[in-house]
Amino acid sequence: MSNKKISPATQCIHSGYEPQNGEPLALPIYQSTTYAYSSPTEIGKLFDLTADGHMYSRISNPTVALVEKKIAEMEGGVGALCTNSGQAASFLTVTNIASAGDHILVSAKIYGGTTNLFHVTLKRFGIDCTFFDQELPNEEIEKLIQPNTKLIFGETIANPALSVFDIERIAKVAHKAGIPLIIDNTFATAVLCKPIDFGADIVVYSTSKYMDGHAVQLGGCVVDSGNFDWTQNDKFPGLCTPDESYHGLVYTESFGKLSYLTKMRVQLVRDLGVYPTAQAAFLLDLGLQTLDVRLARHCNNALAVAQYLENSGYAEYVKYPALESDPNNHLAKKYLPKGSSGVVSFCIKGGREKAEKFMNSLSLFVNAVHVATVHSCVLHPASSTHRQLSDEMLVQAGIDAGLIRISVGIEDIEDILGDIKNAMEKTFG
Ligand SMILES: *Cc1c(COP(=O)(O)O)cnc(C)c1O
């Protein structure tokens, strides 16, 4: 299934686990913490990283490995590593190449949880973070890159600002400075956008969103394009100089294109305990099998909702990249030709008060701190996900007090629109 001509719609069903004659059609759950070997010599090779094989399920597991293979193929990467949450995956992507004293450059328009992780927690670890406006011209972004800057980070479709990241343009800025571009592709997934095709080096996911799709299992994933040359400068000593915890092994020399992911697995995942269970990977795989059909419906339903809101007279503005009137529509056309996910934001007229009234008047929509599930959900970011941000940071992140985030599900569109119209009539009476 590694044939590049096969589309993600087919890969999400057939890649990864490929049953042979007489084997189960469904992905087997290898429910085991540990693995049996014939001799201490065999186990010794695993510890030296000179043989492939599973040692302990804190580091790898055969069920999870098959899902990693599927995601890597869908994404067009050389490999993938799953984690037990998106937050864990974001943490790993950065700390695999940045240490105390280093700096990272991050789009201001990202998920609130990631902002907190980078701005508060990584700061305590000595990693400094600058948030930048992703609309800035290249020269302005270049000025923010310091000698100790290790990466640029952005989201394909920002949650909840719904801005579209100009991956190709900013990948060039990063590469000119000799650093990788890391893209959080959670809202788009490989079905709507493949960031590696546009120059992204590392792709990171919360699989808890569309990939899972049914609100059943948290997870994350890191995919490596294998394209970034870590040896081109002296910025990445962790990959290019000996690791004492493996007898002086040098990752780039021993693992080539897989050096970034191997280091992440055998150092950070080994030490931190963030690997998913086989059961979790099985559920993720089940979600992935319908990813393409679900996203097509999410996108169609969301576009209809966005168009209704835009023409309703009740919204100050509507943010949905696939709308012709959206300021990022030109970027959506380039990066998201099949649609821009099921998430629509709008600022209701009358601010916070009307936002609350509207949300209380919905009946089909679920009030939930979640997006990207088959159910339609609604959330008020200023009083929930972005509550910890100062007013100044809220503005920088593009969050107004009346902003409502709707995650349009895959119910019948007439029922969805009916519920929204009814709630608007109750709110504005
Ligand atoms: C939800 C989310 C995360 C965090 O993922 P969890 O699985 O909740 O830990 C990271 N990035 C984006 C864009 C998200 O939407």
Side-chain angles (χ1 to χ4, degrees):
M1 283 302 133
S2 45
N3 181 347
K4 286 213 164 60
K5 293 204 184 81
I6 292 173
S7 99
T10 305
Q11 288 172 319
C12 67
I13 298 166
H14 288 284
S15 287
Y17 176 55
E18 295 176 37
Q20 304 301 306
N21 192 38
E23 289 183 346
L25 178 60
L27 174 66
I29 299 173
Y30 289 96
Q31 186 68 52
S32 184
T33 60
T34 194
Y35 305 88
Y37 286 90
S38 56
S39 73
T41 320
E42 296 301 313
I43 294 194
K45 286 184 201 160
L46 298 177
F47 277 90
D48 285 345
L49 304 182
T50 53
D52 274 343
H54 302 286
M55 185 202 302
Y56 190 50
S57 292
R58 177 158 26 83
I59 300 165
S60 66
N61 166 280
T63 306
V64 185
L66 289 165
V67 182
E68 288 170 340
K69 187 163 180 271
K70 174 180 280 189
I71 296 171
E73 284 179 13
M74 288 173 65
E75 207 65 52
V78 292
L81 190 159
C82 283
T83 58
N84 55 16
S85 72
Q87 288 297 93
S90 299
F91 179 80
L92 295 179
T93 58
V94 172
T95 54
N96 203 36
I97 48 173
S99 306
D102 289 338
H103 171 258
I104 60 174
L105 190 54
V106 179
S107 167
K109 291 204 170 104
I110 57 165
Y111 174 63
T114 314
T115 305
N116 212 50
L117 168 65
F118 291 173
H119 182 69
V120 181
T121 301
L122 286 188
K123 189 161 267 171
R124 287 179 42 227
F125 285 34
I127 298 171
D128 211 23
C129 174
T130 301
F131 291 103
F132 74 102
D133 174 355
Q134 64 186 36
E135 310 280 328
L136 285 176
N138 293 359
E139 316 78 71
E140 297 298 314
I141 300 174
E142 279 165 13
K143 282 188 201 148
L144 301 171
I145 300 176
Q146 307 171 10
N148 62 342
T149 305
K150 295 299 157 96
L151 58 95
I152 300 182
F153 188 104
E155 291 176 8
T156 311
I157 306 172
N159 173 12
L162 301 184
S163 306
V164 181
F165 195 85
D166 196 345
I167 301 171
E168 192 164 41
R169 175 171 79 85
I170 297 175
K172 286 189 183 134
V173 174
H175 296 160
K176 195 172 155 200
I179 56 176
L181 175 66
I182 301 180
I183 290 293
D184 182 335
N185 199 36
T186 297
F187 270 23
T189 82
V191 160
L192 299 180
C193 176
K194 291 169 74 169
I196 291 173
D197 290 351
F198 298 102
D201 301 288
I202 309 288
V203 181
V204 61
Y205 277 107
S206 164
T207 63
S208 323
K209 310 295 164 52
Y210 287 110
M211 289 163 95
D212 166 274
H214 302 76
V216 293
Q217 183 67 58
L218 292 187
C221 191
V222 182
V223 184
D224 188 352
S225 67
N227 294 334
F228 192 80
D229 178 8
W230 305 101
T231 63
Q232 65 182 282
N233 51 40
D234 58 4
K235 289 181 191 289
F236 307 101
L239 283 157
C240 307
T241 58
D243 178 356
E244 293 318 321
S245 70
Y246 291 103
H247 312 303
L249 168 146
V250 176
Y251 292 98
T252 45
E253 287 172 7
S254 297
F255 300 104
K257 285 187 181 297
L258 283 169
S259 56
Y260 176 88
L261 284 180
T262 305
K263 175 177 184 285
M264 184 178 281
R265 186 185 297 276
V266 303
Q267 280 185 343
L268 292 175
V269 174
R270 171 197 66 186
D271 292 355
L272 297 173
V274 291
Y275 205 59
T277 62
Q279 296 270 356
F282 174 84
L283 290 171
L284 171 57
D285 190 65
L286 208 52
L288 285 174
Q289 291 176 31
T290 56
L291 182 64
D292 189 78
V293 269
R294 283 187 288 104
L295 264 172
R297 174 91 158 214
H298 279 294
C299 288
N300 285 341
N301 281 359
L303 184 60
V305 167
Q307 284 167 341
Y308 161 75
L309 289 169
E310 183 168 52
N311 299 320
S312 70
Y314 299 130
E316 298 274 7
Y317 59 82
V318 181
K319 275 230 68 153
Y320 185 64
L323 273 185
E324 288 288 332
S325 60
D326 190 279
N328 281 168
N329 187 249
H330 62 294
L331 293 172
K333 285 202 167 94
K334 171 171 179 175
Y335 295 107
L336 303 157
K338 289 196 205 164
S340 55
S341 92
V343 185
V344 178
S345 301
F346 72 103
C347 187
I348 198 164
K349 286 187 178 160
R352 187 180 290 263
E353 189 204 321
K354 291 287 187 199
E356 280 167 15
K357 183 127 199 249
F358 168 74
M359 289 171 61
N360 284 327
S361 309
L362 289 164
S363 64
L364 182 70
F365 279 78
V366 183
N367 276 277
V369 188
H370 195 52
V371 290
T373 163
V374 292
H375 322 74
S376 287
C377 299
V378 64
L379 183 86
H380 185 221
S383 61
S384 55
T385 46
H386 286 64
R387 205 183 175 89
Q388 75 278 17
L389 269 60
S390 67
D391 282 358
E392 196 187 26
M393 287 175 81
L394 272 181
V395 173
Q396 214 189 4
I399 316 287
D400 288 311
L403 190 78
I404 294 174
R405 184 184 72 184
I406 287 184
S407 174
V408 184
I410 60 172
E411 302 94 337
D412 188 310
I413 187 60
E414 292 310 320
D415 294 334
I416 294 171
L417 287 175
D419 196 35
I420 295 176
K421 285 177 191 163
N422 183 44
M424 284 299 188
E425 277 156 23
K426 280 191 184 155
T427 305
F428 290 95

